[in-house]
Amino acid sequence: MTGFRGRGDNVALRRFGAIVEAAPDALLALDEDGTILAANAAAATLLGFSQEALIGMDQRSLLAAGSRNEVEQMFQLLLRQPQEQHPPREMSWLHRDGTEFSAEVAAALFPQPAPGDAPAETDAGPRLLLSVRSMAHRKTEDTNLRQAMSLLTATLESTADGILVISNDGRVAGFNDQFLTMWGIPPELMEGDSDEPVMRLIVEQVADLPAFMARLGELQDNPAAESHDVVDFKDGRTFERYSRPQRVGENIVGRVWSFRDVTPRRKAQEQAQQAMLDLAAQAEKLRTMAFQDPLTGLANRAVFNEALVGSLQEPRLKTVDVLLLDLDDFKEVNDILGHQAGDDMLIEVARRLRGCVPTADVVARLGGDEFVVLLTACPDADAIAECIVRCLHVPVTISGTVLRPRLSLGLASLGQDSVGPSELLRHADIAMYAAKAAGKNRFLRFHPDMMQALVQRTHMESGLQLAVPRGEITVDFQPIVSHRMGQVVQLEALARWDRGGERVPPSVFIPLAERTGLISEVGAEVMASAMVQLADWLSEDPSRSLAVNVSGVQLQEPDFAGTVLGLAEASGVAPYQLVLEVTESVFFDADCSLINQLSTLRDAGARVALDDFGTGYSSLGRLQDLPVDTVKIDKTFVSMVRTGNERLPILSSMINMAHSLGLTVTAEGIETPAQADYLTALECDSLQGFLFSLPEPGERLAHALDHAEEALNALKGR
C-alpha cells in the first residue's frame, strides 16, 4: 500500500495508515519491544531516513544517549494508567546525519481493532503510537519572546521614569527599579503579602496627601481615564505623575503609573522666574538710581542739573537761587568713627535738609558730603541759608558719639547778568569755599571779589608745585627742653615757604599741599634738609633727637619707611635719634599699611610722637592701642594755665595716664614761666614753646639753643 508504511498488513495498520499518513507530526508505531512497526512521511522527513528504512529499526537507536529510556518509561506508564492524560515529554533525537535535535513526544497505546474486524495473526500484544514534533519552531518563538522580554525589561530599567503597574484587584502587577529608588521603597516590601507598608511609605512622603488621595479616588471611579498631575514631596522634590489604563485587547486589566522626577526642572524654572524678578527689580533700581541718590534718597546730580537748566530757561522766573553746602571736617568722622558712621551722618543731614526747605524745587546730593538746593521764586534765600546752617548744627548721636554737624554753605543767585547753569553752580561753589576759609559753619553769598580769592588760591597751588625745585621750601627749628636735665634734648623741624620774598603761613600751604598731594614732596625736602643741617649737632650727644611732622598722606606711600631710613643713613643720622610726629587721625585710616610703616620705623629704632593730643575724637584709654612713644599735649590745654594756681585735673590725668603706659609727655605752647613751672610740677618730661625760643632757621640755630638754655636757667633760679 502507499502512504503510511508499516510491517505487516493487518487491518489495524491499514486503518492507522489511512488516518495519519498526512499528519504534519512525525508518527511512529512501536512494538512492545521498541521496534518500529510503521512510520509516516513526516517521520521520514524529520529523522532523515526513508519510511522503509525506519521500519524494523529499534527506536532507541534514533534517540540520544540521555533519552533512550524515555519511550520505555512512557510505555510502562500508559500500561499502568491507560485512562490518564499524560503530558508530552521533550527528548533528544538523532538525525540520520548524526545531528542532535529536540522534539516533543506524545504517546498513546495503539488502538484495538474495531468491532467486526478479524484479528490478524500478527496482533500479539499492546503497541505504542508516538507523535514526535520538532521544537525548533518553538525555540525560535521562545528566543524571540525572550529577546522581546529582555528588550522590554532593559527599556523599563533604563528609563529615568519610575513605573508601577496595578491590576484591577489592587495588586502590584509590575514595577521597575527606578520606581523603588524614587520612592525609597526597599525591594523586600514589594514581595510581601500586603501592600499596606508600601502605601504607608508613599503617603508619608507626599506634601499634599488629600490631593494625592483624591486623584487616586477619581481614577478608581473612572478606570478608562488618563491623568497627568504633579506630586510635591515634603523633602522638596517634585514628581510629574502620569497614569493610563492597561488594556489587553478591549479589556482594561489594570493601570500603569509613571513617575518622573522634575525637581531640577522645577528648580530651574523657579530660578529662572526669580532671575526675571531680580532683573525687573534691578531695572527698577537702575531707573531709580538714574534719578535718586542711593544713600540718602535725595535727587542726584543729573536731576539737579536738569532742573537748573529748566529754571534758567523759564522767562517768568525772576529769582533762581542755588545753595551749595559741604560738611566741615567730615573726613574725620569717616577716619575716626568709620564709614558706616559717615553714611549715618549723611543720611541724617539729608533728612534735616529736606525739613529745612520743604518748598525747594530740588534737594540733591552731588556726591560725597556735598549737597545742593535749588530755589525758584524764593522771597528770602539768605534766610533759608541761615536756617540750614542753624538746623544742621544741632547735635546728633552717631555710633554712640554725640556730634554737631558743621557745614559751609555758598549761595549764588541769578542776577541782572544772565549766566549759564554751570556758571551759577560754580559761583555757589566759590562762595562755599569762601565760607570755609572764613571760619566754617556759616554761609556766604557769592560776590565777584571771591573770584579774585579763587584766582589767588589757584595761583598759590601752581606756585607750590614749583616750590621745591626752586628751593623755596626751608626749615626752621624750635628747641624742646628737659627741665629735669636742664638742656635742649630735641629740635622740631618746621616747614617754611618763602615765596617771592614773602613767607606763606604753614596754616595756609600745608593743607593746600595735603589736598593737592604735594605734601610728600614737601615733607621729603624738609626731612632731608633737617637731617643734613642737624647731623653734627645730633652726633655730639646720642640723647639728642630730631622731630619731624609727618602727614597721613606721606604714610600712605608704600616705601615711606624705607625712604626715611635711607635719608637718615645718607646724612649720618642714627634712626633712634628720629621722632616722627603724627596726629591721631592717621591711626583711624582703613589702610593698615600705614600702621605697618610706623611699625617698621619703630623696629629700626625711631620713635613716634602723637601730636596735638586731646584735640581729636580719641580718649586717653586708646593710648594703649596706638604704636606711639610720646604724646604732645596741645597748647590749648597749656593755655588754661595762667597764674599757676589753677586746679586742672585734665592735665594731670593726661600726664599720669601716659606715664602709666610707659609714654613720655611733651607740653606744647609754653609761653610763661608759670606754665613751665605748672607742667614741671606735674612731671611733664619736656617742654616746648616761645618761652624757650621762637622757631629759627639753621643759620640762627646757635642763637635758639642759647635762648633756650637761658630760659631754663631762669626757671631754675625762680
Side-chain angles (χ1 to χ4, degrees):
M1 74 177 184
T2 62
F4 185 74
R5 303 299 175 90
R7 178 187 295 174
D9 194 23
N10 58 46
V11 176
L13 288 177
R14 288 196 302 274
R15 186 183 301 118
F16 178 76
I19 296 173
V20 300
E21 178 60 26
D25 291 340
L27 300 177
L28 297 173
L30 306 180
D31 199 348
E32 58 184 350
D33 60 359
T35 302
I36 299 176
L37 300 176
N40 67 352
T45 301
L46 179 65
L47 296 170
F49 294 91
S50 65
Q51 290 177 272
E52 290 79 2
L54 287 173
I55 297 172
M57 294 180 65
D58 189 335
Q59 53 88 16
R60 285 185 287 272
S61 65
L62 298 175
L63 289 168
S67 301
R68 286 174 182 168
N69 296 323
E70 295 272 348
V71 173
E72 178 62 25
Q73 293 174 4
M74 295 179 71
F75 189 34
Q76 295 300 324
L77 185 62
L78 286 171
L79 291 175
R80 292 194 302 270
Q81 300 174 347
Q83 304 302 322
E84 297 291 332
Q85 293 291 332
H86 299 286
R89 293 191 182 188
E90 182 178 349
M91 300 182 190
S92 294
W93 293 77
L94 295 175
H95 194 270
R96 181 179 181 180
D97 60 9
T99 58
E100 187 175 328
F101 65 93
S102 295
E104 187 179 66
V105 179
L109 293 177
F110 194 80
Q112 296 298 317
D117 287 341
E121 62 277 4
T122 57
D123 294 340
R127 298 180 175 86
L128 186 67
L129 177 63
L130 298 182
S131 173
V132 183
R133 178 177 296 179
S134 174
M135 297 181 65
H137 69 285
R138 179 177 299 179
K139 286 191 175 182
T140 300
E141 292 175 356
D142 289 347
T143 299
N144 292 338
L145 178 60
R146 284 195 297 271
Q147 290 178 346
M149 290 301 295
S150 176
L151 178 62
L152 177 61
T153 300
T155 301
L156 291 177
E157 293 301 339
S158 64
T159 181
D161 295 348
I163 306 297
L164 175 67
V165 182
I166 302 295
S167 63
N168 282 342
D169 60 0
R171 307 292 294 179
V172 174
F175 57 88
N176 64 354
D177 290 341
Q178 184 65 11
F179 170 77
L180 302 181
T181 301
M182 293 172 68
W183 287 91
I185 300 173
E188 56 270 17
L189 283 186
M190 302 299 291
E191 299 173 0
D193 297 333
S194 173
D195 295 336
E196 184 177 345
V198 175
M199 195 63 186
R200 183 166 57 250
L201 188 59
I202 289 176
V203 300
E204 286 176 353
Q205 302 180 63
V206 176
D208 188 353
L209 182 58
F212 183 85
M213 299 305 295
R215 178 54 57 94
L216 296 181
E218 292 173 5
L219 296 177
Q220 188 174 4
D221 295 339
N222 188 3
E226 295 188 4
S227 172
H228 175 211
D229 63 347
V230 173
V231 178
D232 290 321
F233 283 63
K234 294 178 180 178
D235 61 7
R237 291 180 299 160
T238 301
F239 285 1
E240 280 185 348
R241 176 172 59 173
Y242 298 85
S243 178
R244 61 187 304 167
Q246 179 192 10
R247 298 179 184 272
V248 176
E250 297 297 324
N251 298 323
I252 296 175
V253 298
R255 178 163 292 276
V256 179
W257 295 90
S258 174
F259 300 92
R260 178 171 298 174
D261 190 345
V262 295
T263 305
R265 187 177 73 191
R266 168 69 69 87
K267 289 184 177 179
Q269 291 173 344
E270 292 175 352
Q271 290 173 354
Q273 184 178 8
Q274 185 60 46
M276 294 298 293
L277 294 175
D278 293 343
L279 186 61
Q282 290 176 5
E284 181 62 29
K285 185 177 180 180
L286 289 175
R287 283 193 294 270
T288 300
M289 290 176 62
F291 305 104
Q292 190 179 77
D293 174 57
L295 177 64
T296 63
L298 298 178
N300 60 13
R301 182 185 291 271
V303 174
F304 169 78
N305 288 338
E306 184 178 357
L308 179 59
V309 170
S311 64
L312 294 180
Q313 293 176 347
E314 177 54 61
R316 294 174 298 177
L317 291 177
K318 295 183 179 180
T319 61
V320 176
D321 302 290
V322 174
L323 290 74
L324 182 67
L325 60 101
D326 182 273
L327 299 182
D328 297 330
D329 305 317
F330 177 71
K331 185 177 183 301
E332 292 188 8
V333 177
N334 273 334
D335 289 345
I336 297 173
L337 299 180
H339 288 281
Q340 182 59 52
D343 289 347
D344 292 342
M345 176 172 278
L346 292 175
I347 293 171
E348 176 61 18
V349 167
R351 186 189 67 79
R352 294 183 182 185
L353 190 56
R354 271 193 296 253
C356 291
V357 285
T359 59
D361 294 72
V362 177
V363 179
R365 179 187 176 212
L366 297 184
D369 59 334
E370 198 171 55
F371 298 83
V372 66
V373 177
L374 175 64
L375 300 173
T376 59
C378 178
D380 192 350
D382 291 75
I384 296 294
E386 184 177 358
C387 175
I388 291 174
V389 174
R390 185 177 63 253
C391 291
L392 266 62
H393 194 48
V394 175
V396 59
T397 300
I398 302 291
S399 298
T401 302
V402 178
L403 303 175
R404 290 173 69 91
R406 293 159 50 89
L407 63 96
S408 297
L409 188 150
L411 170 60
S413 302
L414 181 65
Q416 294 180 349
D417 297 331
S418 179
V419 296
S422 59
E423 187 68 13
L424 187 59
L425 184 60
R426 182 166 175 264
H427 288 174
D429 186 59
I430 292 171
M432 183 266 290
Y433 277 106
K436 283 188 180 295
K440 303 181 180 179
N441 200 42
R442 65 190 63 206
F443 88 92
L444 287 179
R445 176 178 282 277
F446 173 77
H447 189 275
D449 292 343
M450 293 178 180
M451 291 293 292
Q452 182 62 31
L454 176 62
V455 171
Q456 291 177 353
R457 188 166 67 246
T458 304
H459 181 59
M460 181 176 294
E461 181 178 326
S462 63
L464 185 59
Q465 298 199 15
L466 300 174
V468 172
R470 289 175 175 174
E472 296 176 355
I473 301 297
T474 60
V475 183
D476 281 358
F477 299 96
Q478 186 174 32
I480 300 173
V481 303
S482 169
H483 186 275
R484 182 176 62 256
M485 297 175 64
Q487 65 181 21
V488 176
V489 294
Q490 190 177 108
L491 288 171
E492 180 177 358
L494 302 169
R496 296 293 184 259
W497 181 20
D498 295 311
R499 184 184 186 208
E502 295 184 1
R503 175 157 287 188
V504 181
S507 60
V508 174
F509 80 84
I510 294 297
L512 178 61
E514 290 184 329
R515 187 169 64 250
T516 58
L518 294 171
I519 191 65
S520 297
E521 185 179 3
V522 172
E525 175 66 19
V526 170
M527 189 174 297
S529 178
M531 289 183 186
V532 171
Q533 294 185 64
L534 294 186
D536 293 339
W537 181 77
L538 292 171
S539 65
E540 293 173 0
D541 187 346
S543 65
R544 294 173 179 174
S545 58
L546 166 64
V548 183
N549 289 281
V550 176
S551 168
V553 177
Q554 293 174 267
L555 289 170
Q556 291 174 356
E557 296 175 7
D559 195 35
F560 173 76
T563 300
V564 173
L565 296 176
L567 290 174
E569 182 179 4
S571 61
V573 175
Y576 69 84
Q577 290 183 296
L578 292 178
V579 178
L580 305 176
E581 294 192 6
V582 298
T583 58
E584 58 187 321
S585 63
V586 303
F587 295 109
F588 296 94
D589 197 287
D591 187 0
C592 63
S593 65
L594 183 147
I595 304 298
N596 293 336
Q597 297 279 6
L598 292 178
S599 299
T600 300
L601 289 168
R602 293 182 78 207
D603 291 342
R607 287 168 288 168
V608 177
L610 188 61
D611 200 11
D612 301 332
F613 182 72
T615 61
Y617 288 92
S618 67
S619 63
L620 292 171
R622 290 202 67 252
L623 287 176
Q624 61 183 343
D625 301 323
L626 304 181
V628 298
D629 305 282
T630 300
V631 293
K632 299 188 72 174
I633 299 175
D634 190 72
K635 61 184 179 180
T636 56
F637 296 98
V638 174
S639 65
M640 292 188 292
V641 180
R642 293 181 175 83
T643 66
N645 296 319
E646 293 86 356
R647 292 179 57 84
L648 300 172
I650 188 171
L651 285 174
S652 60
S653 296
M654 285 182 176
I655 296 172
N656 291 335
M657 177 65 77
H659 285 165
S660 69
L661 296 174
L663 307 177
T664 59
V665 182
T666 299
E668 297 180 296
I670 304 295
E671 297 182 355
T672 67
Q675 293 173 340
D677 291 339
Y678 192 93
L679 270 300
T680 300
L682 294 177
E683 297 184 358
C684 185
D685 299 286
S686 54
L687 308 174
Q688 178 181 3
F690 292 165
L691 175 65
F692 304 102
S693 175
L694 297 174
E696 297 286 359
E699 59 268 19
R700 288 180 54 83
L701 181 58
H703 173 74
L705 294 173
D706 290 343
H707 190 282
E709 291 180 359
E710 290 174 2
L712 276 172
N713 292 331
L715 287 175
K716 289 183 178 180
R718 284 169 57 85

